[in-house]
Amino acid sequence: MTTQAQTAENGVNVAALLGARKALSDAPEAARFKWRATSEWLKGTHSRATVDGFFGLGGEQTHRQTYQFDSDHPEIFASEDKGATPLEFVLVGLAGCLTAGIASVAQHRNIQLKSVKATLEAGMDLRGILGVDADVRNGFDGIKVHFEIDADATAEDIAALVAQSQKRSAVFDIITNPTDVTVTTSKT
Amino acid sequence: MTTQAQTAENGVNVAALLGARKALSDAPEAARFKWRATSEWLKGTHSRATVDGFFGLGGEQTHRQTYQFDSDHPEIFASEDKGATPLEFVLVGLAGCLTAGIASVAQHRNIQLKSVKATLEAGMDLRGILGVDADVRNGFDGIKVHFEIDADATAEDIAALVAQSQKRSAVFDIITNPTDVTVTTSKT
């Protein structure tokens, strides 16, 4: 039995993505996206974010449904743990981005995925955000991501899938490189 | 009527946070945290992340409950939109972090918050992740955050609250400054 004639089915429409790449090469304005979220403070460190619409392909777009996420600090910080911490949402975004990339690249390379599991861990010295030591940064001192992948491919091909996903990952780029954040305020 | 004798009640236990700051100044090992997430690929660009335990204060900690988040790409990318995009999770984390900081700083400064609403928008040129133009980055070209805050304080005091939150925000730091991400892979 050979696998050459088989086509991998990972559920990614690569033809559509390649079509989009060609279309957006010719229409750079359509490639300008704006991703959005709103959030509302509830009590203490607990807030609720809403994700609904975004802008792209030259117009306003909406998700198939509205997504809401509660964020809070854990009980050991004297909070009520009514949601994941903001830090964990960053890890969730990174996992989702790299995993979607792996599936897309696997489809393009005709590699059938069977399972893709990620484990993420980010170290942080809390003395940063608490203002104990000005030399300690507020954020993570680094993130380790480990993928365990079962697929019809060699270990080398699997490692190459992950490397390509990393190379094209938006969230990986946002975290590893500086991204400007401008904060403004108004009193209502 | 004066407000001098009143104590703001924003639901943040500042005494506990100040106690933690003192305790962690004397015990830097307890300040070493590890935040975690796991994720599993489901189909196409759809994956599910789980947030459960973390390490801190010298031991393993667990959330009050397990949190799960579905991540996917939208339908205009030929995906099924079974969750928010990974990019939107980054915005959710940023909103949650800055908002929790605002509430904490307001409590410390005895400013009663009435409402805190955030609107976040991040531009992105899709030609980066599609590999159309090597000069276009994969990630956001910037994030704009706007806070609308109703509080018993002047506009200047409110702006100062937000500035202090920004200064001590872990997610703001992770996004605006480079953070190492190490990715490893194994075949199962």
Side-chain angles (χ1 to χ4, degrees), chain A residues 10 21 31 33 35-37 44 64 67 81 120-122 124 126 130 139 145-147 153 173 182 184 186-187, chain B residues 10 21 31 33 35-37 44 64 67 81 120-122 124 126 130 139 145-147 153 173 182 184 186-187:
Chain A
N10 297 313
R21 178 157 72 183
F33 273 63
W35 300 100
R36 300 181 186 132
R64 205 169 47 81
Y67 299 108
D81 196 354
L120 295 89
E121 186 171 88
M124 189 173 130
L126 223 68
L130 287 172
V145 184
H146 183 70
F147 278 101
D173 177 26
T182 309
T184 55
S186 62
K187 180 179 176 177
Chain B
N10 297 313
R21 178 157 74 183
F33 274 62
W35 299 101
R36 300 182 186 129
R64 206 170 45 82
Y67 298 109
D81 196 352
L120 295 88
E121 187 172 83
M124 189 173 129
L126 223 66
L130 288 173
V145 184
H146 183 70
F147 277 101
D173 177 26
T182 307
T184 54
S186 61
K187 181 179 175 178

Side-chain angles (χ1 to χ4, degrees), chain B residues 57-139:
Chain B
L57 303 185
E60 291 295 328
Q61 309 288 344
T62 50
H63 276 289
R64 206 170 45 82
Q65 63 172 95
T66 297
Y67 298 109
Q68 287 199 312
F69 304 102
D70 281 31
S71 167
D72 201 356
H73 288 175
E75 290 175 319
I76 59 164
F77 294 171
S79 284
E80 295 185 9
D81 196 352
K82 295 207 167 165
T85 64
L87 296 161
E88 290 159 337
F89 280 108
V90 174
L91 298 181
V92 167
L94 181 60
C97 197
L98 290 171
T99 302
I102 288 166
S104 301
V105 177
Q107 186 65 35
H108 193 211
R109 295 182 181 180
N110 200 27
I111 293 173
Q112 181 63 50
L113 296 176
K114 293 173 180 170
S115 78
V116 181
K117 292 180 183 174
T119 307
L120 295 88
E121 187 172 83
M124 189 173 129
D125 187 334
L126 223 66
R127 293 178 301 163
I129 56 170
L130 288 173
V132 171
D133 184 340
D135 291 336
V136 176
R137 71 176 289 186
N138 295 322

Side-chain angles (χ1 to χ4, degrees), chain A residues 124-152:
Chain A
M124 189 173 130
D125 186 334
L126 223 68
R127 292 178 302 163
I129 56 171
L130 287 172
V132 171
D133 184 339
D135 291 334
V136 175
R137 70 178 288 186
N138 294 322
F140 295 147
D141 49 37
I143 305 175
K144 289 177 188 166
V145 184
H146 183 70
F147 278 101
E148 280 187 21
I149 299 180
D150 186 8
D152 286 337

